PDB file of all heavy atoms in Angstrom:
ATOM      1  N   VAL A 111     111.531  84.049  96.834  1.00  0.00           N
ATOM      2  CA  VAL A 111     112.141  84.075  98.179  1.00  0.00           C
ATOM      3  C   VAL A 111     112.070  85.539  98.674  1.00  0.00           C
ATOM      4  O   VAL A 111     112.756  86.388  98.042  1.00  0.00           O
ATOM      5  CB  VAL A 111     113.592  83.603  98.159  1.00  0.00           C
ATOM      6  CG1 VAL A 111     114.173  83.740  99.566  1.00  0.00           C
ATOM      7  CG2 VAL A 111     113.705  82.146  97.673  1.00  0.00           C
ATOM      8  N   HIS A 126     124.268  86.806 110.009  1.00  0.00           N
ATOM      9  CA  HIS A 126     124.494  86.353 108.631  1.00  0.00           C
ATOM     10  C   HIS A 126     124.256  84.833 108.551  1.00  0.00           C
ATOM     11  O   HIS A 126     123.589  84.321 107.642  1.00  0.00           O
ATOM     12  CB  HIS A 126     125.865  86.647 108.220  1.00  0.00           C
ATOM     13  CG  HIS A 126     126.268  86.096 106.802  1.00  0.00           C
ATOM     14  ND1 HIS A 126     125.843  86.686 105.687  1.00  0.00           N
ATOM     15  CD2 HIS A 126     127.001  85.029 106.501  1.00  0.00           C
ATOM     16  CE1 HIS A 126     126.339  85.973 104.665  1.00  0.00           C
ATOM     17  NE2 HIS A 126     127.054  84.920 105.150  1.00  0.00           N
ATOM     18  N   ALA A 129     120.579  83.874 108.676  1.00  0.00           N
ATOM     19  CA  ALA A 129     119.834  84.292 107.440  1.00  0.00           C
ATOM     20  C   ALA A 129     120.230  83.299 106.319  1.00  0.00           C
ATOM     21  O   ALA A 129     119.330  82.877 105.590  1.00  0.00           O
ATOM     22  CB  ALA A 129     120.284  85.665 106.996  1.00  0.00           C
ATOM     23  N   VAL A 130     121.529  82.860 106.182  1.00  0.00           N
ATOM     24  CA  VAL A 130     121.828  81.921 105.170  1.00  0.00           C
ATOM     25  C   VAL A 130     121.116  80.565 105.411  1.00  0.00           C
ATOM     26  O   VAL A 130     120.620  79.983 104.509  1.00  0.00           O
ATOM     27  CB  VAL A 130     123.381  81.679 105.222  1.00  0.00           C
ATOM     28  CG1 VAL A 130     123.801  80.538 104.306  1.00  0.00           C
ATOM     29  CG2 VAL A 130     124.145  82.954 104.716  1.00  0.00           C
ATOM     30  N   PHE A 133     117.397  81.004 104.336  1.00  0.00           N
ATOM     31  CA  PHE A 133     117.291  81.043 102.862  1.00  0.00           C
ATOM     32  C   PHE A 133     117.639  79.672 102.226  1.00  0.00           C
ATOM     33  O   PHE A 133     117.039  79.270 101.224  1.00  0.00           O
ATOM     34  CB  PHE A 133     118.199  82.116 102.235  1.00  0.00           C
ATOM     35  CG  PHE A 133     117.686  83.531 102.512  1.00  0.00           C
ATOM     36  CD1 PHE A 133     118.542  84.549 102.937  1.00  0.00           C
ATOM     37  CD2 PHE A 133     116.337  83.862 102.298  1.00  0.00           C
ATOM     38  CE1 PHE A 133     118.151  85.854 103.148  1.00  0.00           C
ATOM     39  CE2 PHE A 133     115.888  85.178 102.489  1.00  0.00           C
ATOM     40  CZ  PHE A 133     116.789  86.133 102.943  1.00  0.00           C
ATOM     41  N   HIS A 134     118.569  79.023 102.790  1.00  0.00           N
ATOM     42  CA  HIS A 134     119.041  77.691 102.294  1.00  0.00           C
ATOM     43  C   HIS A 134     117.882  76.648 102.438  1.00  0.00           C
ATOM     44  O   HIS A 134     117.627  75.862 101.513  1.00  0.00           O
ATOM     45  CB  HIS A 134     120.278  77.127 102.934  1.00  0.00           C
ATOM     46  CG  HIS A 134     120.840  75.951 102.346  1.00  0.00           C
ATOM     47  ND1 HIS A 134     121.585  75.017 103.088  1.00  0.00           N
ATOM     48  CD2 HIS A 134     120.768  75.433 101.098  1.00  0.00           C
ATOM     49  CE1 HIS A 134     121.926  73.962 102.362  1.00  0.00           C
ATOM     50  NE2 HIS A 134     121.398  74.240 101.083  1.00  0.00           N
ATOM     51  N   ALA A 137     115.449  77.407  99.817  1.00  0.00           N
ATOM     52  CA  ALA A 137     115.903  77.075  98.464  1.00  0.00           C
ATOM     53  C   ALA A 137     115.828  75.634  98.188  1.00  0.00           C
ATOM     54  O   ALA A 137     115.538  75.168  97.141  1.00  0.00           O
ATOM     55  CB  ALA A 137     117.372  77.595  98.377  1.00  0.00           C
ATOM     56  N   LEU A 148     115.949  80.399  91.409  1.00  0.00           N
ATOM     57  CA  LEU A 148     115.478  81.040  92.568  1.00  0.00           C
ATOM     58  C   LEU A 148     115.436  82.531  92.366  1.00  0.00           C
ATOM     59  O   LEU A 148     116.208  83.100  91.564  1.00  0.00           O
ATOM     60  CB  LEU A 148     116.383  80.683  93.750  1.00  0.00           C
ATOM     61  CG  LEU A 148     116.517  79.216  94.005  1.00  0.00           C
ATOM     62  CD1 LEU A 148     117.511  78.991  95.215  1.00  0.00           C
ATOM     63  CD2 LEU A 148     115.161  78.548  94.305  1.00  0.00           C
ATOM     64  N   TRP A 149     114.509  83.198  92.999  1.00  0.00           N
ATOM     65  CA  TRP A 149     114.292  84.606  92.779  1.00  0.00           C
ATOM     66  C   TRP A 149     113.987  85.350  94.034  1.00  0.00           C
ATOM     67  O   TRP A 149     112.886  85.367  94.601  1.00  0.00           O
ATOM     68  CB  TRP A 149     113.071  84.780  91.833  1.00  0.00           C
ATOM     69  CG  TRP A 149     112.803  86.091  91.258  1.00  0.00           C
ATOM     70  CD1 TRP A 149     112.448  87.195  91.897  1.00  0.00           C
ATOM     71  CD2 TRP A 149     112.736  86.451  89.880  1.00  0.00           C
ATOM     72  NE1 TRP A 149     112.224  88.281  90.996  1.00  0.00           N
ATOM     73  CE2 TRP A 149     112.377  87.806  89.716  1.00  0.00           C
ATOM     74  CE3 TRP A 149     113.032  85.714  88.695  1.00  0.00           C
ATOM     75  CZ2 TRP A 149     112.331  88.428  88.526  1.00  0.00           C
ATOM     76  CZ3 TRP A 149     112.921  86.349  87.451  1.00  0.00           C
ATOM     77  CH2 TRP A 149     112.553  87.717  87.364  1.00  0.00           C
ATOM     78  N   VAL A 150     115.044  86.001  94.649  1.00  0.00           N
ATOM     79  CA  VAL A 150     114.904  86.726  95.869  1.00  0.00           C
ATOM     80  C   VAL A 150     114.430  88.129  95.512  1.00  0.00           C
ATOM     81  O   VAL A 150     114.922  88.735  94.564  1.00  0.00           O
ATOM     82  CB  VAL A 150     116.206  86.796  96.673  1.00  0.00           C
ATOM     83  CG1 VAL A 150     117.306  87.527  95.890  1.00  0.00           C
ATOM     84  CG2 VAL A 150     116.027  87.384  98.069  1.00  0.00           C
ATOM     85  N   ILE A 153     114.029  93.025  98.635  1.00  0.00           N
ATOM     86  CA  ILE A 153     115.028  93.109  99.647  1.00  0.00           C
ATOM     87  C   ILE A 153     115.512  94.577  99.818  1.00  0.00           C
ATOM     88  O   ILE A 153     115.584  95.324  98.879  1.00  0.00           O
ATOM     89  CB  ILE A 153     116.284  92.236  99.257  1.00  0.00           C
ATOM     90  CG1 ILE A 153     115.852  90.780  99.098  1.00  0.00           C
ATOM     91  CG2 ILE A 153     117.383  92.407 100.278  1.00  0.00           C
ATOM     92  CD1 ILE A 153     115.392  90.136 100.312  1.00  0.00           C
ATOM     93  N   ALA A 155     118.145  95.407 102.426  1.00  0.00           N
ATOM     94  CA  ALA A 155     119.463  95.409 102.998  1.00  0.00           C
ATOM     95  C   ALA A 155     120.443  94.669 102.067  1.00  0.00           C
ATOM     96  O   ALA A 155     120.151  93.503 101.731  1.00  0.00           O
ATOM     97  CB  ALA A 155     119.448  94.890 104.389  1.00  0.00           C
ATOM     98  N   ALA A 156     121.564  95.217 101.807  1.00  0.00           N
ATOM     99  CA  ALA A 156     122.590  94.496 101.047  1.00  0.00           C
ATOM    100  C   ALA A 156     123.036  93.182 101.707  1.00  0.00           C
ATOM    101  O   ALA A 156     123.331  92.178 101.048  1.00  0.00           O
ATOM    102  CB  ALA A 156     123.810  95.356 100.752  1.00  0.00           C
ATOM    103  N   GLU A 157     123.137  93.274 103.039  1.00  0.00           N
ATOM    104  CA  GLU A 157     123.573  92.063 103.808  1.00  0.00           C
ATOM    105  C   GLU A 157     122.621  90.901 103.599  1.00  0.00           C
ATOM    106  O   GLU A 157     123.087  89.761 103.497  1.00  0.00           O
ATOM    107  CB  GLU A 157     123.678  92.422 105.289  1.00  0.00           C
ATOM    108  CG  GLU A 157     124.711  93.472 105.649  1.00  0.00           C
ATOM    109  CD  GLU A 157     124.241  94.918 105.375  1.00  0.00           C
ATOM    110  OE1 GLU A 157     123.040  95.102 104.983  1.00  0.00           O
ATOM    111  OE2 GLU A 157     125.042  95.835 105.570  1.00  0.00           O
ATOM    112  N   GLU A 158     121.265  91.170 103.550  1.00  0.00           N
ATOM    113  CA  GLU A 158     120.334  90.106 103.304  1.00  0.00           C
ATOM    114  C   GLU A 158     120.455  89.546 101.915  1.00  0.00           C
ATOM    115  O   GLU A 158     120.327  88.340 101.643  1.00  0.00           O
ATOM    116  CB  GLU A 158     118.925  90.581 103.610  1.00  0.00           C
ATOM    117  CG  GLU A 158     117.880  89.498 103.833  1.00  0.00           C
ATOM    118  CD  GLU A 158     116.690  89.933 104.499  1.00  0.00           C
ATOM    119  OE1 GLU A 158     116.317  91.145 104.371  1.00  0.00           O
ATOM    120  OE2 GLU A 158     115.987  89.072 105.150  1.00  0.00           O
ATOM    121  N   PHE A 159     120.731  90.451 100.948  1.00  0.00           N
ATOM    122  CA  PHE A 159     120.873  90.006  99.556  1.00  0.00           C
ATOM    123  C   PHE A 159     122.065  89.111  99.384  1.00  0.00           C
ATOM    124  O   PHE A 159     122.011  88.050  98.794  1.00  0.00           O
ATOM    125  CB  PHE A 159     121.079  91.295  98.692  1.00  0.00           C
ATOM    126  CG  PHE A 159     120.786  91.097  97.219  1.00  0.00           C
ATOM    127  CD1 PHE A 159     119.501  91.198  96.776  1.00  0.00           C
ATOM    128  CD2 PHE A 159     121.790  90.911  96.346  1.00  0.00           C
ATOM    129  CE1 PHE A 159     119.202  91.003  95.390  1.00  0.00           C
ATOM    130  CE2 PHE A 159     121.506  90.782  94.968  1.00  0.00           C
ATOM    131  CZ  PHE A 159     120.229  90.886  94.555  1.00  0.00           C
ATOM    132  N   VAL A 160     123.135  89.446 100.063  1.00  0.00           N
ATOM    133  CA  VAL A 160     124.360  88.582 100.037  1.00  0.00           C
ATOM    134  C   VAL A 160     124.154  87.298 100.747  1.00  0.00           C
ATOM    135  O   VAL A 160     124.610  86.207 100.218  1.00  0.00           O
ATOM    136  CB  VAL A 160     125.514  89.367 100.691  1.00  0.00           C
ATOM    137  CG1 VAL A 160     126.755  88.458 100.893  1.00  0.00           C
ATOM    138  CG2 VAL A 160     125.948  90.580  99.933  1.00  0.00           C
ATOM    139  N   ALA A 161     123.386  87.256 101.786  1.00  0.00           N
ATOM    140  CA  ALA A 161     123.048  85.997 102.483  1.00  0.00           C
ATOM    141  C   ALA A 161     122.270  85.076 101.640  1.00  0.00           C
ATOM    142  O   ALA A 161     122.488  83.888 101.587  1.00  0.00           O
ATOM    143  CB  ALA A 161     122.353  86.311 103.833  1.00  0.00           C
ATOM    144  N   ALA A 162     121.313  85.617 100.852  1.00  0.00           N
ATOM    145  CA  ALA A 162     120.512  84.818  99.970  1.00  0.00           C
ATOM    146  C   ALA A 162     121.363  84.293  98.816  1.00  0.00           C
ATOM    147  O   ALA A 162     121.265  83.038  98.534  1.00  0.00           O
ATOM    148  CB  ALA A 162     119.413  85.706  99.364  1.00  0.00           C
ATOM    149  N   ALA A 163     122.280  85.043  98.286  1.00  0.00           N
ATOM    150  CA  ALA A 163     123.184  84.560  97.238  1.00  0.00           C
ATOM    151  C   ALA A 163     124.033  83.362  97.771  1.00  0.00           C
ATOM    152  O   ALA A 163     124.253  82.342  97.089  1.00  0.00           O
ATOM    153  CB  ALA A 163     124.069  85.620  96.759  1.00  0.00           C
ATOM    154  N   GLU A 164     124.485  83.499  99.041  1.00  0.00           N
ATOM    155  CA  GLU A 164     125.308  82.371  99.585  1.00  0.00           C
ATOM    156  C   GLU A 164     124.490  81.098  99.827  1.00  0.00           C
ATOM    157  O   GLU A 164     124.963  80.003  99.492  1.00  0.00           O
ATOM    158  CB  GLU A 164     125.848  82.886 100.928  1.00  0.00           C
ATOM    159  CG  GLU A 164     126.844  81.834 101.571  1.00  0.00           C
ATOM    160  CD  GLU A 164     127.537  82.349 102.809  1.00  0.00           C
ATOM    161  OE1 GLU A 164     127.774  83.558 102.856  1.00  0.00           O
ATOM    162  OE2 GLU A 164     127.756  81.575 103.762  1.00  0.00           O
ATOM    163  N   ALA A 165     123.220  81.321 100.232  1.00  0.00           N
ATOM    164  CA  ALA A 165     122.368  80.180 100.442  1.00  0.00           C
ATOM    165  C   ALA A 165     122.056  79.483  99.099  1.00  0.00           C
ATOM    166  O   ALA A 165     122.014  78.256  98.964  1.00  0.00           O
ATOM    167  CB  ALA A 165     121.048  80.639 101.052  1.00  0.00           C
ATOM    168  N   PHE A 166     121.847  80.232  98.033  1.00  0.00           N
ATOM    169  CA  PHE A 166     121.546  79.722  96.720  1.00  0.00           C
ATOM    170  C   PHE A 166     122.724  78.933  96.183  1.00  0.00           C
ATOM    171  O   PHE A 166     122.544  77.946  95.434  1.00  0.00           O
ATOM    172  CB  PHE A 166     121.095  80.808  95.791  1.00  0.00           C
ATOM    173  CG  PHE A 166     119.841  81.583  96.246  1.00  0.00           C
ATOM    174  CD1 PHE A 166     119.615  82.844  95.699  1.00  0.00           C
ATOM    175  CD2 PHE A 166     119.002  81.018  97.137  1.00  0.00           C
ATOM    176  CE1 PHE A 166     118.456  83.518  96.126  1.00  0.00           C
ATOM    177  CE2 PHE A 166     117.856  81.726  97.615  1.00  0.00           C
ATOM    178  CZ  PHE A 166     117.628  83.031  97.047  1.00  0.00           C
ATOM    179  N   ALA A 167     123.933  79.406  96.478  1.00  0.00           N
ATOM    180  CA  ALA A 167     125.191  78.730  96.100  1.00  0.00           C
ATOM    181  C   ALA A 167     125.276  77.330  96.759  1.00  0.00           C
ATOM    182  O   ALA A 167     125.584  76.316  96.202  1.00  0.00           O
ATOM    183  CB  ALA A 167     126.367  79.479  96.434  1.00  0.00           C
ATOM    184  N   LEU A 168     124.904  77.319  98.041  1.00  0.00           N
ATOM    185  CA  LEU A 168     124.830  76.021  98.807  1.00  0.00           C
ATOM    186  C   LEU A 168     123.834  75.030  98.199  1.00  0.00           C
ATOM    187  O   LEU A 168     124.120  73.823  98.189  1.00  0.00           O
ATOM    188  CB  LEU A 168     124.428  76.322 100.246  1.00  0.00           C
ATOM    189  CG  LEU A 168     125.527  77.049 101.124  1.00  0.00           C
ATOM    190  CD1 LEU A 168     124.899  77.431 102.479  1.00  0.00           C
ATOM    191  CD2 LEU A 168     126.790  76.199 101.253  1.00  0.00           C
ATOM    192  N   ALA A 169     122.691  75.567  97.691  1.00  0.00           N
ATOM    193  CA  ALA A 169     121.709  74.739  97.055  1.00  0.00           C
ATOM    194  C   ALA A 169     122.041  74.376  95.609  1.00  0.00           C
ATOM    195  O   ALA A 169     121.446  73.541  94.995  1.00  0.00           O
ATOM    196  CB  ALA A 169     120.356  75.427  97.069  1.00  0.00           C
ATOM    197  N   GLY A 170     123.106  75.008  95.101  1.00  0.00           N
ATOM    198  CA  GLY A 170     123.517  74.747  93.703  1.00  0.00           C
ATOM    199  C   GLY A 170     122.468  75.136  92.678  1.00  0.00           C
ATOM    200  O   GLY A 170     122.349  74.527  91.646  1.00  0.00           O
ATOM    201  N   MET A 171     121.841  76.334  92.957  1.00  0.00           N
ATOM    202  CA  MET A 171     120.810  76.761  92.109  1.00  0.00           C
ATOM    203  C   MET A 171     121.110  78.193  91.484  1.00  0.00           C
ATOM    204  O   MET A 171     121.682  79.124  92.144  1.00  0.00           O
ATOM    205  CB  MET A 171     119.500  76.983  92.889  1.00  0.00           C
ATOM    206  CG  MET A 171     118.801  75.679  93.263  1.00  0.00           C
ATOM    207  SD  MET A 171     118.103  74.852  91.741  1.00  0.00           S
ATOM    208  CE  MET A 171     116.676  75.964  91.540  1.00  0.00           C
ATOM    209  N   PRO A 172     120.822  78.350  90.219  1.00  0.00           N
ATOM    210  CA  PRO A 172     120.889  79.745  89.582  1.00  0.00           C
ATOM    211  C   PRO A 172     119.857  80.661  90.236  1.00  0.00           C
ATOM    212  O   PRO A 172     118.856  80.197  90.756  1.00  0.00           O
ATOM    213  CB  PRO A 172     120.606  79.434  88.111  1.00  0.00           C
ATOM    214  CG  PRO A 172     119.691  78.214  88.140  1.00  0.00           C
ATOM    215  CD  PRO A 172     120.136  77.486  89.296  1.00  0.00           C
ATOM    216  N   TRP A 173     120.094  81.908  90.175  1.00  0.00           N
ATOM    217  CA  TRP A 173     119.157  82.850  90.800  1.00  0.00           C
ATOM    218  C   TRP A 173     119.078  84.204  90.129  1.00  0.00           C
ATOM    219  O   TRP A 173     120.006  84.578  89.383  1.00  0.00           O
ATOM    220  CB  TRP A 173     119.519  82.995  92.293  1.00  0.00           C
ATOM    221  CG  TRP A 173     120.868  83.682  92.483  1.00  0.00           C
ATOM    222  CD1 TRP A 173     122.068  83.174  92.313  1.00  0.00           C
ATOM    223  CD2 TRP A 173     121.039  85.003  93.027  1.00  0.00           C
ATOM    224  NE1 TRP A 173     123.030  84.155  92.608  1.00  0.00           N
ATOM    225  CE2 TRP A 173     122.448  85.266  93.112  1.00  0.00           C
ATOM    226  CE3 TRP A 173     120.150  85.986  93.501  1.00  0.00           C
ATOM    227  CZ2 TRP A 173     122.910  86.432  93.568  1.00  0.00           C
ATOM    228  CZ3 TRP A 173     120.654  87.187  94.005  1.00  0.00           C
ATOM    229  CH2 TRP A 173     122.060  87.449  94.007  1.00  0.00           C
ATOM    230  N   CYS A 174     118.038  84.905  90.557  1.00  0.00           N
ATOM    231  CA  CYS A 174     117.835  86.313  90.182  1.00  0.00           C
ATOM    232  C   CYS A 174     117.568  87.020  91.480  1.00  0.00           C
ATOM    233  O   CYS A 174     117.112  86.468  92.423  1.00  0.00           O
ATOM    234  CB  CYS A 174     116.784  86.568  89.195  1.00  0.00           C
ATOM    235  SG  CYS A 174     116.946  85.690  87.587  1.00  0.00           S
ATOM    236  N   GLY A 175     117.679  88.352  91.472  1.00  0.00           N
ATOM    237  CA  GLY A 175     117.397  89.123  92.650  1.00  0.00           C
ATOM    238  C   GLY A 175     116.990  90.570  92.386  1.00  0.00           C
ATOM    239  O   GLY A 175     117.511  91.194  91.495  1.00  0.00           O
ATOM    240  N   LYS A 197     127.528  96.300  94.637  1.00  0.00           N
ATOM    241  CA  LYS A 197     127.371  95.160  95.567  1.00  0.00           C
ATOM    242  C   LYS A 197     127.261  93.844  94.788  1.00  0.00           C
ATOM    243  O   LYS A 197     127.928  92.842  95.172  1.00  0.00           O
ATOM    244  CB  LYS A 197     126.115  95.346  96.430  1.00  0.00           C
ATOM    245  CG  LYS A 197     126.158  96.445  97.451  1.00  0.00           C
ATOM    246  CD  LYS A 197     127.182  96.183  98.549  1.00  0.00           C
ATOM    247  CE  LYS A 197     127.068  97.331  99.563  1.00  0.00           C
ATOM    248  NZ  LYS A 197     128.089  97.133 100.663  1.00  0.00           N
ATOM    249  N   ILE A 198     126.547  93.881  93.716  1.00  0.00           N
ATOM    250  CA  ILE A 198     126.352  92.661  92.921  1.00  0.00           C
ATOM    251  C   ILE A 198     127.604  92.239  92.295  1.00  0.00           C
ATOM    252  O   ILE A 198     128.007  91.056  92.279  1.00  0.00           O
ATOM    253  CB  ILE A 198     125.241  92.823  91.848  1.00  0.00           C
ATOM    254  CG1 ILE A 198     123.897  92.775  92.504  1.00  0.00           C
ATOM    255  CG2 ILE A 198     125.361  91.766  90.755  1.00  0.00           C
ATOM    256  CD1 ILE A 198     122.726  93.103  91.640  1.00  0.00           C
ATOM    257  N   LYS A 200     130.450  92.262  93.511  1.00  0.00           N
ATOM    258  CA  LYS A 200     131.286  91.610  94.498  1.00  0.00           C
ATOM    259  C   LYS A 200     130.812  90.256  95.036  1.00  0.00           C
ATOM    260  O   LYS A 200     131.489  89.580  95.738  1.00  0.00           O
ATOM    261  CB  LYS A 200     131.464  92.531  95.716  1.00  0.00           C
ATOM    262  CG  LYS A 200     132.116  93.909  95.399  1.00  0.00           C
ATOM    263  CD  LYS A 200     132.157  94.827  96.633  1.00  0.00           C
ATOM    264  CE  LYS A 200     132.801  96.159  96.287  1.00  0.00           C
ATOM    265  NZ  LYS A 200     132.760  97.110  97.427  1.00  0.00           N
ATOM    266  N   ILE A 201     129.647  89.891  94.476  1.00  0.00           N
ATOM    267  CA  ILE A 201     129.087  88.585  94.876  1.00  0.00           C
ATOM    268  C   ILE A 201     129.701  87.385  94.146  1.00  0.00           C
ATOM    269  O   ILE A 201     129.765  87.475  92.917  1.00  0.00           O
ATOM    270  CB  ILE A 201     127.529  88.561  94.689  1.00  0.00           C
ATOM    271  CG1 ILE A 201     126.877  89.555  95.717  1.00  0.00           C
ATOM    272  CG2 ILE A 201     126.974  87.147  94.905  1.00  0.00           C
ATOM    273  CD1 ILE A 201     125.381  89.746  95.501  1.00  0.00           C
ATOM    274  N   THR A 202     130.185  86.427  94.806  1.00  0.00           N
ATOM    275  CA  THR A 202     130.847  85.300  94.186  1.00  0.00           C
ATOM    276  C   THR A 202     129.851  84.467  93.268  1.00  0.00           C
ATOM    277  O   THR A 202     130.177  84.198  92.122  1.00  0.00           O
ATOM    278  CB  THR A 202     131.419  84.349  95.210  1.00  0.00           C
ATOM    279  OG1 THR A 202     132.400  85.058  96.004  1.00  0.00           O
ATOM    280  CG2 THR A 202     132.195  83.184  94.526  1.00  0.00           C
ATOM    281  N   HIS A 203     128.692  84.115  93.820  1.00  0.00           N
ATOM    282  CA  HIS A 203     127.676  83.368  93.064  1.00  0.00           C
ATOM    283  C   HIS A 203     126.778  84.402  92.337  1.00  0.00           C
ATOM    284  O   HIS A 203     125.778  84.826  92.934  1.00  0.00           O
ATOM    285  CB  HIS A 203     126.874  82.509  94.014  1.00  0.00           C
ATOM    286  CG  HIS A 203     125.854  81.632  93.380  1.00  0.00           C
ATOM    287  ND1 HIS A 203     126.092  81.009  92.180  1.00  0.00           N
ATOM    288  CD2 HIS A 203     124.625  81.270  93.731  1.00  0.00           C
ATOM    289  CE1 HIS A 203     125.034  80.268  91.838  1.00  0.00           C
ATOM    290  NE2 HIS A 203     124.104  80.451  92.771  1.00  0.00           N
ATOM    291  N   GLN A 204     127.189  84.785  91.173  1.00  0.00           N
ATOM    292  CA  GLN A 204     126.510  85.816  90.398  1.00  0.00           C
ATOM    293  C   GLN A 204     125.135  85.457  90.020  1.00  0.00           C
ATOM    294  O   GLN A 204     124.798  84.348  89.608  1.00  0.00           O
ATOM    295  CB  GLN A 204     127.294  86.151  89.176  1.00  0.00           C
ATOM    296  CG  GLN A 204     128.604  86.980  89.438  1.00  0.00           C
ATOM    297  CD  GLN A 204     128.272  88.411  89.636  1.00  0.00           C
ATOM    298  OE1 GLN A 204     127.962  89.190  88.747  1.00  0.00           O
ATOM    299  NE2 GLN A 204     128.323  88.921  90.922  1.00  0.00           N
ATOM    300  N   PRO A 205     124.162  86.424  90.048  1.00  0.00           N
ATOM    301  CA  PRO A 205     122.824  86.180  89.566  1.00  0.00           C
ATOM    302  C   PRO A 205     122.798  86.154  88.054  1.00  0.00           C
ATOM    303  O   PRO A 205     123.674  86.657  87.385  1.00  0.00           O
ATOM    304  CB  PRO A 205     122.043  87.393  90.131  1.00  0.00           C
ATOM    305  CG  PRO A 205     123.071  88.514  90.178  1.00  0.00           C
ATOM    306  CD  PRO A 205     124.363  87.832  90.559  1.00  0.00           C
TER     307      PRO A 205
END
Side-chain angles (χ1 to χ4, degrees):
V111 176
H126 174 79
V130 172
F133 286 135
H134 185 208
L148 302 179
W149 190 296
V150 65
I153 301 296
E157 295 82 3
E158 197 164 25
F159 202 81
V160 170
E164 185 174 326
F166 301 160
L168 291 173
M171 286 290 287
W173 67 288
C174 297
K197 294 288 185 183
I198 286 174
K200 298 176 181 178
I201 293 174
T202 301
H203 183 39
Q204 285 281 286

